[in-house]
Amino acid sequence: MKVGFICAMDCEMTELLELFQDVTVTNIGSVDYHAGMLFDHEMVICCSGVGKVCAGIAAAILCSHFSVDLVINIGVSGGVKPLNCRDIVFSTGAVQHDFNTAPFDPPMHVCVVNKLVIPVSENDARTLAKIAEEMYPERSRTGLVLTGDQFVHGGKADELLRLIDETEWGPEKPMAIEMEGGAVAQACHMFKTRCVVIRYVSDVLGDSNQVSSFEEIKNDHTGELIPVLRTFFSNIQ
């Protein structure tokens, strides 16, 4: 299996990249793609930059140029209560909360793929979540990630929480609020490539300390994800 990793910030990529062996670097569209071996699999990792456009471009390049079989998007996010900081969310679907073509479609409905919830590889997500639950009891979560091109806090958090409450969701509920996962999921869906979005909760929507909590936690989460990924890939051919 060949796997592509997308991180939005260097602090989300550095610890994982340090484990790569036999690395070669290809620069495409001003982004360095580091290809090498990790956990006995071919891997490619990049720091796409923050936001949906950067993430979507990176996902498309991983799918088309590098022909990966699975894309994993890792990073930090805001959490929706009752989640706590340092909980880990494994996506069972992705929603673009800032996508709105009303009155032609319902809010958040992505007309290009004709979906509210963009599918991801749910089997992979649940396998990863089970591994994480064994390592970090009561901190592993599965659910939807909501993506938009904004750091949601203050009044924006109140607006989004109202939208979440007013929307009829299926069995999977919104868990993480972030800025890339929905774009990665859409690109992978269009390329028919498996995709998982993993988010480490750095702050909780509506809390008064959202910004300071994000600054405190954003740099120290990847180390907890590495054992989960190592175990996951050790069981895959």
Side-chain angles (χ1 to χ4, degrees):
M1 174 183 286
K2 190 173 186 180
V3 182
F5 284 95
I6 298 174
C7 306
M9 300 182 291
D10 282 329
C11 62
E12 297 168 334
M13 180 181 74
T14 302
E15 284 189 68
L16 201 55
L17 178 57
E18 288 175 349
L19 300 177
F20 273 55
Q21 297 179 328
D22 304 321
V23 176
T24 60
V25 181
T26 304
N27 186 279
I28 303 174
S30 302
V31 172
D32 286 337
Y33 293 81
H34 306 262
M37 296 297 296
L38 179 66
F39 309 140
D40 296 321
H41 290 274
E42 290 185 76
M43 303 273 187
V44 185
I45 191 169
C46 71
C47 178
S48 65
V50 174
K52 287 162 58 178
V53 172
C54 291
I57 291 171
I61 289 171
L62 287 172
C63 293
S64 59
H65 182 84
F66 292 97
S67 300
V68 300
D69 303 298
L70 170 67
V71 173
I72 299 180
N73 177 213
I74 62 175
V76 293
S77 76
V80 178
K81 293 178 180 178
L83 267 66
N84 298 304
C85 289
R86 302 188 186 277
D87 283 351
I88 307 171
V89 177
F90 299 88
S91 66
T92 53
V95 177
Q96 297 185 30
H97 69 77
D98 61 350
F99 199 105
N100 194 335
T101 54
F104 307 104
D105 299 293
M108 302 183 286
H109 186 94
V110 179
C111 54
V112 178
V113 294
N114 194 29
K115 294 181 183 297
L116 167 64
V117 178
I118 302 169
V120 298
S121 181
E122 189 170 340
N123 287 339
D124 290 324
R126 294 195 184 280
T127 299
L128 285 158
K130 184 177 180 180
I131 295 168
E133 178 61 26
E134 293 173 354
M135 295 182 179
Y136 312 115
E138 300 184 5
R139 290 174 50 204
S140 176
R141 313 290 186 208
T142 57
L144 304 179
V145 297
L146 271 59
T147 305
D149 274 325
Q150 52 189 300
F151 181 87
V152 179
H153 67 290
K156 292 178 181 178
D158 295 336
E159 292 175 14
L160 182 55
L161 290 171
R162 279 196 298 271
L163 179 60
I164 290 172
D165 288 341
E166 293 167 359
T167 301
E168 293 186 10
W169 306 99
E172 300 296 324
K173 307 301 181 185
M175 294 281 182
I177 312 298
E178 46 80 70
M179 298 181 63
E180 293 83 28
V184 172
Q186 180 179 337
C188 290
H189 178 70
M190 296 173 74
F191 277 96
K192 298 180 173 58
T193 300
R194 288 159 60 189
C195 166
V196 176
V197 180
I198 304 173
R199 287 294 180 268
Y200 192 97
V201 175
S202 60
D203 53 281
V204 177
L205 261 69
D207 283 359
S208 59
N209 66 336
Q210 263 193 266
V211 175
S212 60
S213 179
F214 168 78
E215 291 290 352
E216 176 187 345
I217 294 175
K218 70 176 183 179
N219 294 317
D220 63 359
H221 68 284
T222 309
E224 289 199 322
L225 296 180
I226 287 172
V228 177
L229 295 168
R230 180 183 287 111
T231 301
F232 175 75
F233 286 111
S234 70
N235 295 315
I236 291 179
Q237 299 298 321

